[in-house]
Amino acid sequence: MTAAPRNVRLLYFAWVREKIGRDAETVELPSDVVTVSDLVDWLEQRGPEYGEAFARRNVVRAAVDRTHVKPSALLGTAREVAFFPPVTGG
Amino acid sequence: MTAAPRNVRLLYFAWVREKIGRDAETVELPSDVVTVSDLVDWLEQRGPEYGEAFARRNVVRAAVDRTHVKPSALLGTAREVAFFPPVTGG
Amino acid sequence: MAVCVQTDDFDVAAETEKLIGARTDIGAVVTFTGRVREGEGDKRITSMTLEHYPDMTEAEMSRIEAEAHARWPLQATTLIHRVGELRPGEQIVLVIAASAHRQAAFEAAAFLMDFLKTRAPFWKKEMLLNGDSAWVDARETDDNAAGRWG
Amino acid sequence: MAVCVQTDDFDVAAETEKLIGARTDIGAVVTFTGRVREGEGDKRITSMTLEHYPDMTEAEMSRIEAEAHARWPLQATTLIHRVGELRPGEQIVLVIAASAHRQAAFEAAAFLMDFLKTRAPFWKKEMLLNGDSAWVDARETDDNAAGRWG
């Protein structure tokens, strides 16, 4: 039995967006991409711009379906994953 | 050598004023009235209204020349002494 | 720095504008406005009268304000306290604290209120719906609040 | 309860009036206004651009607001955050917390700001007078401030 393809919308903000060079994209996740951390590993193999954006791994934050999560969070059936620097509003 | 007479303006506020029945008076202090506490003792001998105003001794507050003081404060050359309940502004 | 005791109402926006204007060195503005409440529990008040010690009030408020400026890096502060008769819903007191950063503005505004409540010579008398009137008792929580500033 | 993300400026007095109106159960109103500063030390900025994550921002602000209402007895709160390009002296963010007593209003306003600063998805980029631009770094002090609420 093969898992159905998982399409996930990725969003990038602030300097993560600038380093990657786009603000959003839709990707099909391999089945071995289980956590947010796995997703970052997988993205880093796609090109140097991702490597640069995620160079400071512990600095980039993530939200899954618009909720802040830790790198160990499971992607599950997530439809939207966002990556961004620590927030600086207020 | 006799000390010069010390005239002091006394001011009363809130329920201290209401119990004493006036908002201000000028009195000549005997030489043995040295502290704020002495002044209260002396006032209490002047009439029941003072006794009632100062019945809760530790509740009534004082200011000497417009500065909060403790009962043990010296009157010195004070020109104005005010008595009032704990403040309730703000 | 500005300290004022007045019977008239105040306009928080106008006071803020007066304090800050076109300044570009202020990152944080905290305002506190105290208002007359109609009651608590079963008590219902029709009005409140604020008495004060005119010759001492502004001096004490200025001392409180100077103390705040000594403790925190403040760009500007305003303290306004009304006296006379006030009805439920009316404004009583205004504190504005402006600083480069928010922590100083928040702490200074809270400090100013704690000390206004425990040091400035104002007294409130409440006129109750049943015709009685009563001086408001000082709250122990206010002394505790003021005590935390050491 | 009201949460708003907007490019337009806000009017603190109008927002306060909208929140409180003729209510007589509110004894304490604390407002916090954050403003763009021109600089600090040698840095001089000409403008600041605020980016956000539109679909998440209001949801996160509403979560922060609900958390404040769960922690303190609040009568009403307002959270407004601007986005887009802002110049020095302009207002960025407004928090209003209204309660029966001042401690809840002060603490809730400080809490709301601490969590807006560390949870709401906004990012500031500064345009400097020398032509450079730079994303503002998150301040460790903001994380510490948010951490104190346990």
Side-chain angles (χ1 to χ4, degrees):
Chain A
M1 193 179 122
T2 312
R6 286 185 299 160
N7 285 320
V8 174
R9 183 81 176 154
L10 302 181
L11 303 178
Y12 310 116
F13 293 97
W15 55 252
V16 174
R17 169 178 57 72
E18 287 181 345
K19 285 180 199 289
I20 292 175
R22 63 184 72 101
D23 59 10
E25 62 187 317
T26 300
V27 298
E28 192 183 317
L29 296 186
S31 59
D32 61 344
V33 172
V34 176
T35 65
V36 169
S37 190
D38 293 342
L39 174 54
V40 175
D41 291 339
W42 181 74
L43 285 170
E44 282 183 326
Q45 296 169 350
R46 303 183 85 211
E49 68 273 31
Y50 295 97
E52 211 192 319
F54 293 107
R56 291 156 66 203
R57 257 304 177 107
N58 59 340
V59 169
V60 177
R61 307 297 161 91
V64 169
D65 289 337
R66 303 164 190 177
T67 300
H68 292 289
V69 297
K70 294 190 170 155
S72 59
L74 299 174
L75 292 170
T77 56
R79 314 187 111 204
E80 185 174 297
V81 180
F83 292 104
F84 43 77
V87 304
T88 55
Chain B
M1 194 177 120
T2 311
R6 286 186 298 161
N7 285 320
V8 173
R9 184 82 178 154
L10 301 181
L11 304 179
Y12 310 116
F13 294 98
W15 54 253
V16 174
R17 170 177 57 72
E18 288 181 344
K19 286 180 198 289
I20 292 177
R22 61 183 75 100
D23 59 10
E25 62 187 318
T26 300
V27 297
E28 192 182 318
L29 296 188
S31 59
D32 61 344
V33 172
V34 176
T35 65
V36 170
S37 191
D38 293 342
L39 174 54
V40 175
D41 291 339
W42 181 73
L43 285 170
E44 281 182 327
Q45 297 170 348
R46 302 184 85 211
E49 68 272 32
Y50 294 97
E52 212 194 317
F54 293 107
R56 290 155 68 202
R57 257 304 177 110
N58 59 340
V59 169
V60 178
R61 307 298 162 92
V64 170
D65 289 339
R66 302 160 189 180
T67 301
H68 292 290
V69 296
K70 295 189 168 155
S72 59
L74 299 174
L75 293 170
T77 55
R79 316 187 110 204
E80 185 174 296
V81 179
F83 291 103
F84 42 77
V87 303
T88 56
Chain C
M1 291 172 54
V3 155
C4 194
V5 179
Q6 61 192 45
T7 53
D8 290 344
D9 195 14
F10 49 79
D11 177 333
V12 181
E15 294 299 332
T16 307
E17 174 61 26
K18 203 191 295 180
L19 195 64
I20 294 168
R23 289 182 69 158
T24 57
D25 59 340
I26 291 172
V29 182
V30 171
T31 75
F32 175 89
T33 313
R35 301 158 57 92
V36 181
R37 286 185 305 142
E38 195 163 13
E40 189 152 47
D42 289 337
K43 187 179 73 178
R44 284 292 167 276
I45 76 163
T46 54
S47 74
M48 172 179 279
T49 302
L50 270 141
E51 177 174 331
H52 75 128
Y53 180 177
D55 293 324
M56 180 173 169
T57 316
E58 297 206 13
E60 191 64 25
M61 288 168 74
S62 293
R63 279 194 282 267
I64 293 165
E65 188 179 40
E67 177 69 22
H69 281 260
R71 284 171 175 248
W72 289 279
L74 299 172
Q75 253 78 349
T77 47
T78 294
L79 280 73
I80 297 176
H81 205 298
R82 291 177 71 192
V83 290
E85 192 177 354
L86 303 174
R87 285 180 302 277
E90 284 201 81
Q91 304 185 119
I92 308 170
V93 61
L94 172 66
V95 159
I96 309 178
S99 180
H101 299 290
R102 77 186 184 288
Q103 197 190 342
F106 268 122
E107 290 185 3
F111 170 89
L112 287 167
M113 280 309 304
D114 285 349
F115 279 79
L116 271 180
K117 288 241 173 207
T118 55
R119 304 278 302 175
F122 294 96
W123 300 275
K124 286 180 185 137
K125 189 174 200 172
E126 292 176 337
M127 317 308 147
L128 303 176
L129 193 57
N130 66 9
D132 291 348
S133 67
W135 291 97
V136 173
D137 268 333
R139 296 170 59 207
E140 199 183 327
T141 53
D142 287 331
D143 281 333
N144 293 344
R148 74 188 152 131
W149 301 104
Chain D
M1 289 174 55
V3 154
C4 193
V5 179
Q6 60 191 46
T7 52
D8 290 343
D9 196 11
F10 50 78
D11 178 331
V12 181
E15 293 300 332
T16 306
E17 174 61 26
K18 203 189 297 176
L19 196 64
I20 294 170
R23 290 182 69 159
T24 58
D25 60 339
I26 291 173
V29 182
V30 171
T31 75
F32 176 89
T33 313
R35 301 160 57 93
V36 181
R37 285 187 304 141
E38 194 163 14
E40 189 153 45
D42 287 339
K43 187 179 74 177
R44 285 291 167 277
I45 76 163
T46 55
S47 74
M48 172 179 278
T49 301
L50 269 142
E51 177 173 330
H52 76 129
Y53 178 177
D55 293 324
M56 180 171 170
T57 315
E58 297 204 14
E60 191 65 24
M61 287 168 75
S62 293
R63 279 195 282 266
I64 294 166
E65 190 181 39
E67 176 70 22
H69 280 260
R71 284 170 176 249
W72 288 278
L74 299 171
Q75 254 77 347
T77 47
T78 295
L79 281 74
I80 298 176
H81 205 299
R82 291 177 72 192
V83 291
E85 192 175 354
L86 302 174
R87 284 180 302 278
E90 284 201 80
Q91 304 186 119
I92 306 170
V93 61
L94 172 66
V95 160
I96 308 179
S99 180
H101 299 289
R102 76 184 185 289
Q103 197 189 344
F106 268 122
E107 289 184 4
F111 170 90
L112 288 167
M113 280 309 304
D114 285 348
F115 280 80
L116 271 179
K117 288 243 172 205
T118 54
R119 305 279 301 175
F122 294 96
W123 300 274
K124 286 180 185 136
K125 188 174 198 173
E126 293 176 337
M127 317 306 148
L128 304 176
L129 193 59
N130 66 10
D132 291 348
S133 67
W135 291 97
V136 172
D137 269 332
R139 295 169 61 209
E140 199 184 326
T141 53
D142 286 332
D143 282 334
N144 294 344
R148 75 188 151 134
W149 301 102

